[in-house]
Amino acid sequence: MVDHAGILMEQGKSMACERVCGVNDNIEKAHYHSYYEIYYMEAGERHFVINNQPYFARQGDFVLFSPYIMHCAYSGKDIAFKRILICFREHEISSEELREKLSAGTGIYRMDAKSNKRMHFLMEMFMEEQDRAGEYREEYMKSILNTMVLTMLEKSVMSGAEKLKNTDCVSEIMDYINYHYQEDLTLQKLADLLFISPPYCVRYLRNMQIRQWCSISILPAY
């Protein structure tokens, strides 16, 4: 996969974007960038490892990478995906408060349908401006970028950022089971809680030998 947005950033651009469709395009070697990335899953699903923690993003999710955060991404065999990537440098963000939140905001974000639709529309506008030769193109792009960042940080239903800093996955699973043991527990509920894929969730459960706490039905063979 050719990272055109990344190439533009390395050439000195302070903002860049691209849309990519792929299958079996895996980046399994951890790496980092000197700029921010917002990764929007338009279709399909994708696994991420961020600072050695596994995460799972599906259609409609946003992934934010702060500068110098180690990460890699991959998909299951023959599973197609489509994503929009927005790259930008810190000085393009106008608000000091937003810059502070972004610096500690690496993680996965999920929004309600209305906010998600708005973000998608803003990304389309951002890409159109990048391809336009207007006099005020950079100003338009910066304005749209700041609106996108504000929307993502304000309207997200749940952020993966805190989980990267201080969450133990197994502790969250155990707490969830303790408070919901009388409910019909499912593997998908636990996986969604942790922003990880069901196979990773099963791995955590089995590694900590807490299978007996759960209904056998939530632990299929992975």
Side-chain angles (χ1 to χ4, degrees):
M1 180 192 302
V2 179
D3 184 358
H4 294 289
I7 292 173
L8 289 174
M9 296 298 288
E10 294 301 326
Q11 291 175 346
K13 293 290 186 181
S14 60
M15 296 175 287
C17 63
E18 68 172 329
R19 173 184 272 120
V20 171
C21 300
V23 60
N24 297 326
D25 290 322
N26 298 327
I27 308 173
E28 297 181 353
K29 184 177 180 180
H31 63 285
Y32 64 82
H33 307 284
S34 60
Y35 47 83
Y36 284 95
E37 289 184 327
I38 296 177
Y39 193 118
Y40 175 59
M41 292 296 301
E42 278 195 294
E45 60 187 39
R46 198 89 161 135
H47 297 271
F48 295 89
V49 178
I50 308 172
N51 281 349
N52 295 319
Q53 287 279 3
Y55 289 84
F56 178 66
R58 58 181 184 235
Q59 183 175 350
D61 287 350
F62 296 84
V63 189
L64 171 67
F65 299 110
S66 298
Y68 306 107
I69 293 292
M70 298 294 293
H71 63 278
C72 62
Y74 61 95
S75 298
K77 182 175 174 56
D78 299 330
I79 296 180
F81 72 95
K82 182 166 68 171
R83 59 106 164 114
I84 297 174
L85 179 65
I86 307 289
C87 303
F88 60 96
R89 301 196 186 277
E90 184 181 46
H91 67 262
E92 294 294 349
I93 302 303
S94 302
S95 163
E96 178 64 30
E97 182 179 357
L98 287 183
R99 288 196 293 269
E100 289 180 4
K101 289 185 177 181
L102 278 175
S103 65
T106 293
I108 295 179
Y109 294 77
R110 289 178 183 157
M111 303 179 186
D112 60 86
K114 183 177 180 180
S115 298
N116 196 296
K117 185 176 181 179
R118 182 186 184 193
M119 275 287 287
H120 194 209
F121 175 72
L122 289 168
M123 286 185 159
E124 293 282 2
M125 289 180 61
F126 192 86
M127 286 189 290
E128 287 179 8
E129 288 301 323
Q130 178 174 259
D131 296 333
R132 193 173 68 90
E135 180 181 359
Y136 300 106
R137 181 183 66 174
E138 296 293 323
E139 286 77 8
Y140 275 120
M141 289 178 67
K142 183 172 182 176
S143 177
I144 296 169
L145 172 64
N146 278 267
T147 304
M148 281 194 295
V149 169
L150 180 60
T151 301
M152 187 181 70
L153 294 179
E154 183 181 36
K155 300 296 184 179
S156 59
V157 175
M158 183 177 183
S159 168
E162 293 180 2
K163 299 182 182 303
L164 287 173
K165 292 186 293 184
N166 53 28
T167 295
D168 180 271
C169 290
V170 174
S171 296
E172 284 224 0
I173 291 175
M174 294 170 67
D175 288 343
Y176 187 88
I177 292 173
N178 278 331
Y179 285 103
H180 299 86
Y181 67 93
Q182 292 181 321
E183 301 176 12
D184 182 21
L185 293 177
T186 66
L187 179 63
Q188 190 63 57
K189 285 182 181 178
L190 294 177
D192 286 347
L193 173 74
L194 298 170
F195 285 88
I196 60 177
S197 66
Y200 272 119
C201 190
V202 170
R203 184 180 302 175
Y204 279 118
L205 291 167
R206 287 179 175 155
N207 284 348
M208 295 304 293
Q209 298 181 337
I210 58 176
R211 177 171 182 154
Q212 65 271 23
W213 289 20
C214 312
S215 166
I216 297 298
S217 64
I218 75 168
L219 285 175
Y222 278 94

